[in-house]
Amino acid sequence: MRNLPKRIKIFPILVFIIFFSCDSLEDKKGRFLLKGNEKLKENDAKNALSFYSEALELDSTYADAYFNKGLAHIQLNQLEEALGDFSLAIKYNSEYYDAYFQRGLSYLDNGEFYKGREDAESLLSLDASNWHSHFLKGLVEEKLKNYSEALDSFRKASELAPENSDLLVNQATIHFYLKEMNQAQELLDQAEALNPGESNLHNLRSMIYFEEKEYDKALNSVDKAITLNNRQAYFYNNKGLYLLFLGQLEEGLELINQSIKMDPKNPFALRNKGIYYVMKGDKISAIQYLNELNRDYPDMELVKEYLEKAQDL
């Protein structure tokens, strides 16, 4: 099992009303920015980058071009490049709220949690009345396993944006980590009332059912999540795990392998392959997967339990 995706993709399209002559610098760089934004909306990040670079050739201090260039790099999964561009946007506009927010999310994606915390603190200083400030702070504290602080931040964000179902799912996720399943389910019910089409709430509900050994219910919930969003690797990984525990080993392995193809870096999928090999009685393969995970992720659930089972085969 794995947590929800936390990046809220915000691609603000900056519209400029241009009062300059056709040949002015502002007019030229503004046109390149708008062309880049159009390509970004079309998911054509490579061509968007070209237009933003053209704008920056005209003005190397153009903060908006650096910011949107960073967004294009995010679309291309180029985190280091995105971080560099968001930092340049902030360099040339020290109060660039959206740049701090996106850089903070990128730091979290890059495993730089304390840098993400610094950006969350900057957001709170810039605008504590914006729910994004508390949301990023919650994500940081969650990554640092400061669950009480994370829950407090997500609650504050939810108070500022009560119609945002994602923020209820974030709170439910913290309760799930704390094994407070009733509180988590109550929040998921609230989230579903606001937005029944939110795939993450169905995925989290499936994880709760799995913890309660309600494997059929877990499978039903994760199927709802996949129906709503078939692009999330860990939904398939979770479904594969549930199938293993329902005795459908080969069907489960197929989905776990599909998840690994979609996201090769997910250690939970590797754990589930180790569990598969334990269930198949393949001691060597099981230990190969689970030994390494036990070393690198000693707190991951089910790893120690199934490593011991593998060693007893």
Side-chain angles (χ1 to χ4, degrees), residues 3 21 79 90 118 132 159 163 165 190 192 203 229 235 248 253 257 272 279 298 309:
N3 191 18
S21 68
L79 274 180
I90 291 166
E118 290 176 7
H132 292 92
E159 288 171 5
E163 299 304 311
S165 62
Q190 293 176 38
E192 188 171 14
N203 178 62
N229 184 351
F235 291 179
Q248 301 177 45
L253 179 63
N257 284 335
N272 292 349
M279 291 179 171
K309 289 183 178 182

Side-chain angles (χ1 to χ4, degrees), residues 248-260:
Q248 301 177 45
L249 301 188
E250 302 312 317
E251 296 89 338
L253 179 63
E254 183 178 349
L255 286 167
I256 293 164
N257 284 335
Q258 179 180 343
S259 174
I260 291 171

Side-chain angles (χ1 to χ4, degrees), residues 190-201:
Q190 293 176 38
E192 188 171 14
L194 287 173
N195 182 12
E198 171 51 59
S199 60
N200 292 318
L201 77 86

Side-chain angles (χ1 to χ4, degrees), residues 24 37 41 49 52 103 121 147 154 158 176 193 218 229 236 245 265 300 308-309:
S24 73
N37 292 345
K41 287 176 68 177
L49 285 173
Y52 297 141
R103 189 176 71 173
E121 296 296 342
Y147 294 138
F154 289 141
S158 194
F176 172 79
N229 184 351
Y236 295 100
F245 278 79
K265 297 181 180 180
M300 185 183 291
E308 289 176 2
K309 289 183 178 182

Side-chain angles (χ1 to χ4, degrees), residues 11 29 34 165 177 223 232 243 273:
F11 300 109
K29 72 180 187 181
L34 291 174
S165 62
Y177 292 156
D223 275 336
Q232 297 295 349
L243 288 173
K273 280 197 82 164

Side-chain angles (χ1 to χ4, degrees), residues 206-207 209-210 214-223 242:
S206 80
M207 295 163 68
Y209 284 137
F210 178 80
E214 297 276 2
Y215 303 133
D216 286 312
K217 289 183 179 180
L219 185 62
N220 182 57
S221 290
V222 81
D223 275 336
Y242 308 154

Side-chain angles (χ1 to χ4, degrees), residues 53-257:
S53 296
E54 292 280 0
L56 289 166
E57 285 186 14
L58 295 171
D59 180 359
S60 62
T61 68
Y62 195 8
D64 292 325
Y66 283 118
F67 173 71
N68 285 16
K69 188 164 171 273
L71 294 177
H73 282 301
I74 291 295
Q75 278 197 6
L76 294 169
N77 294 314
Q78 298 169 340
L79 274 180
E80 293 294 341
E81 293 86 345
L83 283 166
D85 283 326
F86 293 141
S87 295
L88 285 167
I90 291 166
K91 176 181 178 181
Y92 295 115
N93 179 356
S94 62
E95 297 186 353
Y96 205 143
Y97 185 94
D98 288 337
Y100 280 109
F101 180 70
Q102 290 292 345
R103 189 176 71 173
L105 291 176
S106 298
Y107 277 137
L108 295 188
D109 287 343
N110 210 36
E112 300 179 81
F113 304 149
Y114 288 99
K115 288 184 179 179
R117 175 185 270 174
E118 290 176 7
D119 279 348
E121 296 296 342
S122 295
L123 289 181
L124 287 165
S125 296
L126 287 170
D127 188 359
S129 66
N130 190 321
W131 68 266
H132 292 92
S133 305
H134 301 281
F135 172 71
L136 181 60
K137 184 68 160 55
L139 295 183
V140 171
E141 300 302 341
E142 179 184 338
K143 290 289 190 182
L144 293 171
K145 298 185 178 181
N146 299 325
Y147 294 138
S148 178
E149 292 87 343
L151 190 58
D152 183 58
S153 292
F154 289 141
R155 283 173 178 159
K156 288 178 181 176
S158 194
E159 288 171 5
L160 293 166
E163 299 304 311
N164 189 323
S165 62
D166 288 332
L167 298 173
L168 294 171
V169 176
N170 285 116
Q171 293 174 60
T173 301
I174 301 301
H175 285 296
F176 172 79
Y177 292 156
L178 296 171
K179 305 299 183 184
E180 298 169 351
M181 302 305 177
N182 289 337
Q183 294 94 317
Q185 286 281 29
E186 288 174 8
L187 285 161
L188 291 180
D189 289 342
Q190 293 176 38
E192 188 171 14
L194 287 173
N195 182 12
E198 171 51 59
S199 60
N200 292 318
L201 77 86
H202 296 290
N203 178 62
L204 180 56
R205 186 174 281 148
S206 80
M207 295 163 68
I208 294 170
Y209 284 137
F210 178 80
E211 286 289 315
E212 296 172 343
K213 303 187 187 311
E214 297 276 2
Y215 303 133
D216 286 312
K217 289 183 179 180
L219 185 62
N220 182 57
S221 290
V222 81
D223 275 336
K224 288 181 182 177
I226 291 171
T227 297
L228 291 165
N229 184 351
N230 62 8
R231 298 182 302 277
Q232 297 295 349
Y234 50 91
F235 291 179
Y236 295 100
N237 182 49
N238 283 351
K239 182 175 180 179
L241 177 66
Y242 308 154
L243 288 173
L244 294 184
F245 278 79
L246 286 166
Q248 301 177 45
L249 301 188
E250 302 312 317
E251 296 89 338
L253 179 63
E254 183 178 349
L255 286 167
I256 293 164
N257 284 335

